[in-house]
Amino acid sequence: MSESNDLKAVKRALLSVTDKTGLVEFAGTLARHGVELISTGGTAKVLREAGLSVKDISELTGFPEMLDGRVKTLHPKVHGGLLHRRSDPAHVAAVNEHEILPIDMVVVNLYAFEKTAAKPGVHFEEIIENIDIGGPSMLRSAAKNFEDVAVVPDPKDYADLAAELDANAGSLSAATRWKLARKAFATTAAYDSAIASTLDALPAEPGSVEKTTELPVTLRIVAPRKTSLRYGENPHQAAAVYTDGTELGIANAAQLQGKELSYNNLVDLDACWALASEFEATVVAIIKHTNPCGVGQGTTVAEAYARALEADPVSAFGGVIGVNRVVDGVAAAEMAKLFVEAIVAPGFTDEAKAAFAAKKNLRLLELKPAPLVDRIKQISGGFLVQNEDFHPITAADVKIVTERHPTPDEMEALLFSWKVCKHVKSNAIVYARLKDGFGQSVGIGAGQMSRVDAARFGAMKAALPLEGTVAASDAFFPFADGLETVAKAGATAVIQPGGSVRDAEVIEAANKLGVAMVLTGVRHFRHG
């Protein structure tokens, strides 16, 4: 097939990739069409081991790779081969004079900077060394000259490109080259943004990787779309999920089975995982519309699940489940009895997968935990950014302000309820207890316009006895009526931030009622 103005033949390709997925198969397609393959380092080694003929980049440039690989593609014979316009006689004369060969395709993906920077214990030097220089330069050069050069930054495009090359005898259309160029510029923009944002979060003095608490001077939000969703919160809203490139957290979790995830599933799963991962002990959290309806601890996942479900079995129907341990077969057999939309955990045993297999629509997500990050919320005209709400509280941190002190069991239950309360929409009240030595939510009042209403609603939602429970309040009691409501419901001890101008009045009411009360000095408002 002869080449037209629209179709451009690929005669020489430069391949240099970090992600080797599909590389050999795609390079094989190029070779089958007579394309000369030029490559670097590890990429060349992989291709040769697959039996493909490859020319080293040093043969093209006449200059060896040097400085531990820092300099290999930054050369006029690379960038001249990419940037010269084949239709410009002056450009053609210049490259011929300097013996620069045309390069018609660049297959490049970049050092995994985000993954490296997100690694626990990563060293400063490793972060800096994973800043790719040559790769983005080649992508930009090739993308700028898209009229003559095809640039391939994403392995996901290999299959479609191979099909087009086969259909057009080794040529690609102008529309394809333009589409690839736009993707390449988006790739380099996201990469530079990730570097700038990561370095912005480090101390001003070089060498340390301790994140600062200062918020960035410039907010950069660049993330590739991972997948489109069927719709958003409602069917008339379009939606998609975007990834930060770390392969961590809910956005990057592996879906092991089940229907396509919805927008609401992902929002609820993120809330569920955040709550479950708050605890060091084995915990199961059941979430409905981002609010917990049941949270339980146990020696096993099955025990923790039984306590979480017992707290509110009605609301649990159609919810999502978060587990901070690998789910085993025993726990899975119990969870499979309830209709739930999705379950997220660090892993599932083979027995668990077998127990869930019959529930074809149930979504199972296996994730790698992500570190805490700043929270971003869009408002009209801009964005709000805040640090994650992270402020651990122990028994040593609270201030006992009543005549009666909490018993050891009450104190343990108070700390449990405090962690749960942090994940409930404000105004929030959480009733909880210890059952056989393990924490269990009993009633949760979420998202009420007054704190006394949250106390009443939490008591109304309780499916278990409230007598002898403890109560947590995400913010201070502005009046004694909230404290009196939880005491009337059956709570014997209360944990709250304190700080109201009427603290003395609230403490006096607690003393009259014989309720133990501790103050944390920390508020946990959660407005969504």
Side-chain angles (χ1 to χ4, degrees), residues 229-241 250 260-273 287-291 318-321 341-344 363 365 425:
L229 301 171
R230 284 186 301 162
Y231 51 78
E233 284 183 289
N234 300 291
H236 61 276
Q237 296 172 268
V241 59
I250 292 293
E260 177 186 354
L261 285 159
S262 73
Y263 181 98
N264 292 336
N265 291 154
L266 289 165
V267 171
D268 283 346
L269 284 164
D270 191 51
C272 207
W273 174 251
I287 290 280
K288 198 76 168 286
H289 302 302
T290 72
N291 277 310
V320 302
I321 297 174
E341 293 282 356
I343 302 172
V344 62
R363 305 154 176 96
L365 268 72
K425 293 288 179 61

Side-chain angles (χ1 to χ4, degrees), residues 9 21 25 73 94 159 166 207 219 239 330 336 349 361 373-374 384 391 404 414 430 451 459 478:
T21 304
E25 294 79 4
T73 59
D166 287 341
L219 179 63
V330 176
T349 66
N361 291 333
V373 294
D374 291 339
L384 298 173
H391 198 300
R404 188 175 81 76
L414 287 168
V430 172
R451 194 153 301 278

Side-chain angles (χ1 to χ4, degrees), residues 65 74-75 97 107 127 153 204 213 230 267 269 288 312 342 374 413 458 466 479 484 500:
E65 294 186 26
L74 296 169
H75 195 281
E97 178 186 352
V107 182
I127 292 176
T213 56
R230 284 186 301 162
V267 171
L269 284 164
K288 198 76 168 286
D312 191 349
D374 291 339
L466 284 165
F479 302 97
E484 290 165 349
S500 166

Side-chain angles (χ1 to χ4, degrees), residues 43 221 243 296 395:
T43 304
I221 307 175
T243 175

